[in-house]
Amino acid sequence: MGLLSLGTPLDWPETQALASHVRKHGIEQLLSLWYKVRDRRGDRVLWGDELEYIVVCFDEETKNATLSLRQGEILKVLAESHADSCEKIQDGLEDQIPTFHPEYGRYMLESTPGAPYGASPKELSAVERNMRMRRRIARRHLKPNEVPLTLTSFPRLGVTDGVFLDDPTLVPNGKASQSLFLPDDIINQHARFPTLTANIRKRKGSKVAINLPIFVDEKTPQPFIDPTIPWDRNLFPGDSEAKEGAAKPDHIYMDSMGFGMGCCCLQVTFQACSIHEARAIYDQLVPVTPIILALTAASPAYRGYLADVDARWSVISGAVDDRTPEERGLKPLEGNKNGTRMRMNKSRYDSVDSYLSLESANRPEYSDNPFPVDEGVRARLEEAGMDPVLSSHFAHLFIRDPLVIFSEMVDQDDSSSMDHFENIQSTNWQTMRFKPPPLGDKIGWRVEVRSMEVQVTDFENAAFSVFVVLLTRAILSFRLNFYMPISKVDVNMLRAQKRDAVGQEKFYFRKDVYRTRERHSAARSAAHSREPSVNGNGPTSGGSAAAAGGSNGPARFFEGRYPTPSGSRAASPAPWLPPVEEEYDEFTINELINGKSAPADDANEDGASSSSSSSSSSSFPGLVPLVSSYLDALDIDVSTRAEMDAYLSLVSARANGTLVTAATWIRRYIRSHPAYKGDSVVNQEINYDLCKTLDRVERGEEEAPGFLPEGYAERRRKQEVKEAGGAAAAKAAAAAAAAAEAKKDLATANGDGDGEEGKPLSPLTAAAAATSNAAGVGAGVGVKDDGRDLMLQAAHADAQAKKQADGP
Ligand code: ADP
Ligand code: MG
Ligand code: MG
Ligand code: MG
């Protein structure tokens, strides 16, 4: 969660009247910063993750799992604990102490490492421990019946057939969201959040309306008309929207921002050494965002029903879609109704629409999406010397209105504040975010990867984070080229959310990702050369400059994409490039992650027939093998390599189906629960058992075969004993181990003696054994068992890991 200004939010009419003011000054603030930071170089590779949790509360009497709304109290004690630890710490390690942040849902927490990590494998091997430490700290500050689950969507958020909040007196009658399902009490009480909620609704002219296709099971009524929607409620004018068509048959209808912003995700932010590298990393990760969304899909149930999708993306995109009907193209554009200025093809929460790099590999044809821009913003940025590609990026973000303005923040000094800029930037919630350095000298150009769903265990969260980090390293080291038309990335985004996308869908991806080979094949394809044509989908604008026509059309936008060495915009694209349609193909996730060899008769590397590519003939090196090759080139000790391999194995196994995604696992769990009636309903009992099971699985108290690698539970329990320190933890872990063993015995009824020493080591156990002493966790021994000391412990452990890290 970025910006949390304090103050009094203006009401919507005032906010809307100030939209141009915020945009204008936001851009002046960006420019003031730009002059200072555009040539900034030499920042080291740093990165950090963000993990979001929902705090679930168990009622053992009623067997219900509800959402705890104690975010405020929990964050307060966590902050006190943080301050206390900082005070105690004498050795300048304050910035190693993990931090907790508020999130939109009042049942959510977010944690980040105290300080960003480096990217050496040694440092990467400390990430999982850091994540576990954060979870442990959160846990220690919760009530005994509360647990922090890293669960992307709470299956019974907003049900009306039972209680889903820890305070059953709360009812959905809030003015901000006017939701039929969600009380405003679930919203973070900081003025920003209810105001955001209300203003999105006001700007849009109706409540948000999300319709997820229901998963049709054996006994799901068809058509499915949701009996739990209070169709005839008459509390707010918007109450009639549901029956007037906002709620579609055969869909799960959701009418509030909380359904999306109340989902949890896993994000990763990288610092690049310069703006050029940041732009390159941003671009190369754009085509990867749908792939990692499909792989991390973890949210198959919403509002008490199984959905026919596995991921949250369309829910959250719809949950903050503030576009007016005119902007959405449902009504003709006329006048300036509710701030309408132009057609907008996407919600503020959506995939990105342009690549950013100035390198020649970034062909104009790749940016083939409709691309509305704020013409005034673009003109101002270009006039100030920003190149057209980056100017257009920001001008695209700045088509949006500010949604919340605090009265105290209206007038700012544009040379010393970034608040207006951040106001627009941080409410463009896209698959990737390009983050300029904040004011002050400490932090450089960064990019954030935002598509992943949060995983049930920190092993998985670390695995996917580390995979993305290593992939960026491989991209930079091997100068990989993943460019492809951005419209195809969008097709992939839609496919990535489908049920079992990993097993069932194909995804567009660039075939030839090596630049040297690309040059060869480009030369080979010379016979097919043609001038790259701009296909008419250049930037559009409702602003007056565009309305004047002509001069701001696509051609002008794409000028300058191929700068001459001096940086001026003159050079035109190389004429021998093949049509972009020949550059990509469709692949399964398994092929993309694990690689695909060409069929035997087409395996000739020089393949003169490359231009006549049929979809089945393309080979692909695989993202995991690429990362492995990168690791091979480094001098890494055996234990660290084993840990990296354990992470890569997880990604690989999820891709080839040896292990299923969290979404598939949760869906199966629900469908095979004795209380499931085959009617798509996730009732209270199933939800309770699911949440309990997820918690036990995370702790290593219960195996999850087919979902987590063999050996996960044992490894997790050992970590707990070692890291939590103290007799209590050891006792708890021993009890957990006993419980797990008992369960296993019951499950397998095949006791072949469980002497540790007799068993072959699973890959995970081997990795754990190999690294058991590598990361300096010993600081935990004898440390008292409360949150403060855990924070200190985290700081010391991190510092130790850093000391040990050998940077390649
Ligand atoms: P937001 O919510 O705005 O995306 P957060 O502050 O929650 O941002 O998280 C930012 C992430 O970036 C954290 O994981 C943090 O560790 C990481 N980070 C902080 N400084 C840097 C840096 N200089 N380079 C890269 N990552 C950083
Ligand atoms: Mg967050
Ligand atoms: Mg954050
Ligand atoms: Mg973030």
Side-chain angles (χ1 to χ4, degrees), residues 1-2 49-52 101-103 110-112 267 269 435 448 450:
M1 190 65 22
D49 68 273
E50 294 164 70
L51 281 182
E52 291 172 354
H101 315 260
E103 255 304 333
E110 179 183 300
S111 80
T112 53
Q267 296 173 339
T269 299
K435 293 176 164 176
E448 184 182 22
R450 304 168 44 86

